[in-house]
Amino acid sequence: MDITAAPQPNRENRPASLLDAFERQAGWCERLQAPFMALLMRRAKAHLAAQSTATSLMLEPAGDPVAGLFALRLAGALHDLALQGLAPWAAVWQDPLAADATALDAALAAAFTQQPEQLRRFLASAPQTNEVQRSTVLLPGLLHVAQATGLPVHLIELGASAGLNLWCDRWRHEFGSWAWGDPASPLTLHSEWRGPLPVARQAGLTLAGRSGCDLNPIDIDLPAQCRLLQAYIWPDQPARLVRLRTALAAAAAWNAATGLRIEQADAALYAPRELATPRPGLVTVVFHSVFWQYLPASTRTALRGHIQAALARATPAAPLAWLRYEHPGADAPAELRCHLAPGGEDVLLAQVHSHGSWVDWQAA
């Protein structure tokens, strides 16, 4: 059933779980030191509790509002209005720290009454992000693989979104205790390094090829799709928005020069095709970040089987690495793990921040 066809609930049958999703998201925003987002979530919850027409915009035929990320979808939809310069959200996002409950209540009422169709269209699409800061986690993993093999890398990203992290070797990386990359790069990424210095920090890294897939890839040549990525940046994080815009501009130029395009494909179909033919003289690295948790169980099982089969076929002339940056559990830090074949085992390289703001290196 289309989201626009959802029935309008009255106050008696309004789903408590929807309102609970906003309260839970407000708590997470507070823990992430995002006070505007926390206030927005609570004012949206109050508005939805009182307005059945507004609530109907949030309903999908199936689902868990938390798993469906409904609260973040609404925040993204409102930011999208601001990015289009529409009042009153443009003013709210211009100075979010000055916004109080009264201002947010008025802006929410205006959005639901004046732009309901724009909200519906935005809410009906799955959230899409491409956090380029995660390149600070990918880079030391690639250096680890490059040092171990001494070979150029062909990088394959699953769930690549706009493909910004496929250009991780083009960004400047500064970790405090060490740095890597061209100081003249259009973007410098800063991350806190914890633990021992990586042995591979001075290793050479040559990316001989790069490719990726996504179920709904972002075409960064289209302004509306770039705006979608920006809409999911929280107003409490202006530096993150600047970083994204800088990365989009640079990647667009590099894509044009190399012909790189992210393929629209299911990862469970894309990976076996890309891994079927060995690449002698290169180490193929299949990579994903904060991606696994969103896959259906059947897709995870199929994808794991395809990658493990490819690892078993790897040879010294055409090695393969499975590099992944994922959460092992809901309350555990994200991990960077690597399985290099032939001959290697699955290794924990680092515990890492979800967005790459710190890396706690574990590998010897």
Side-chain angles (χ1 to χ4, degrees):
M1 184 172 62
D2 188 347
I3 186 171
T4 59
Q8 296 186 8
N10 56 37
R11 295 191 60 157
E12 286 70 32
N13 65 15
R14 185 164 302 118
S17 58
L18 177 63
L19 303 182
D20 180 61
F22 280 82
E23 184 60 38
R24 290 172 67 178
Q25 185 63 54
W28 292 330
C29 291
E30 286 175 335
R31 288 194 289 276
L32 292 171
Q33 299 180 329
F36 173 85
M37 275 292 290
L39 178 61
L40 176 61
M41 293 295 96
R42 292 207 166 98
R43 297 322 303 161
K45 173 189 172 184
H47 192 83
L48 293 169
Q51 302 292 329
S52 62
T53 54
T55 305
S56 70
L57 294 176
M58 301 299 297
L59 294 179
E60 285 192 344
D64 176 354
V66 177
L69 302 175
F70 286 2
L72 292 182
R73 290 190 194 199
L74 178 60
L78 298 172
H79 191 184
D80 187 59
L81 298 179
L83 290 169
Q84 295 178 67
L86 297 176
W89 286 104
V92 170
W93 245 261
Q94 187 173 9
D95 189 8
L97 295 181
D100 57 14
T102 300
L104 285 178
D105 287 345
L108 283 163
F112 282 115
T113 57
Q114 297 172 20
Q115 287 99 19
E117 292 306 318
Q118 291 190 54
L119 293 182
R120 284 192 182 96
R121 285 195 297 271
F122 196 101
L123 293 166
S125 63
Q128 179 67 283
T129 62
N130 195 181
E131 180 48 70
V132 68
Q133 179 71 19
R134 289 183 178 138
S135 283
T136 63
V137 174
L138 172 59
L139 175 80
L142 288 180
L143 292 176
H144 171 86
V145 171
Q147 186 202 44
T149 62
L151 295 173
V153 170
H154 180 90
L155 182 61
I156 300 170
E157 185 174 10
L158 307 179
S161 185
L164 300 182
N165 290 315
L166 283 167
W167 296 107
C168 65
D169 58 318
R170 301 283 184 97
W171 314 125
R172 171 72 173 177
H173 301 262
E174 295 190 354
F175 296 98
S177 54
W178 67 287
W180 191 94
D182 185 356
S185 169
L187 179 63
T188 298
L189 301 174
H190 299 272
S191 184
E192 178 189 352
W193 190 265
R194 304 173 184 175
L197 293 176
V199 175
R201 67 190 183 279
Q202 296 177 338
L205 176 61
T206 300
L207 260 66
R210 52 193 107 213
S211 58
C213 75
D214 196 278
L215 272 179
N216 297 290
I218 294 292
D219 184 343
I220 58 179
D221 292 330
L222 300 179
Q225 294 204 20
C226 290
R227 198 179 75 225
L228 175 65
L229 284 181
Q230 295 173 62
Y232 278 105
I233 302 293
W234 296 359
D236 300 276
Q237 302 167 330
R240 191 177 166 205
L241 185 58
V242 171
R243 187 167 63 229
L244 174 63
R245 288 172 170 166
T246 303
L248 286 169
W254 295 332
N255 287 356
T258 62
L260 175 66
R261 295 192 71 82
I262 305 305
E263 182 173 335
Q264 184 173 17
D266 187 311
L269 300 176
Y270 180 84
R273 188 194 75 198
E274 293 296 304
L275 299 176
T277 303
R279 297 179 175 85
L282 301 177
V283 54
T284 299
V285 178
V286 59
F287 165 73
H288 49 84
S289 63
V290 195
F291 159 77
W292 202 256
Q293 69 198 59
Y294 297 111
L295 298 177
S298 58
T299 303
R300 287 198 298 268
T301 299
L303 189 52
R304 183 184 294 108
H306 293 313
I307 295 174
Q308 289 176 341
L311 289 167
R313 296 192 303 267
T315 66
L320 172 66
W322 184 13
L323 188 64
R324 55 222 191 269
Y325 171 3
E326 301 290 350
H327 287 272
D331 298 319
E335 295 179 343
L336 179 68
R337 304 191 71 93
C338 181
H339 188 160
L340 178 60
E345 297 180 349
D346 190 58
V347 175
L348 173 65
L349 297 181
Q351 291 186 321
V352 296
H353 184 271
S354 295
H355 285 165
S357 61
W358 53 263
V359 177
D360 189 351
W361 196 251
Q362 307 285 315

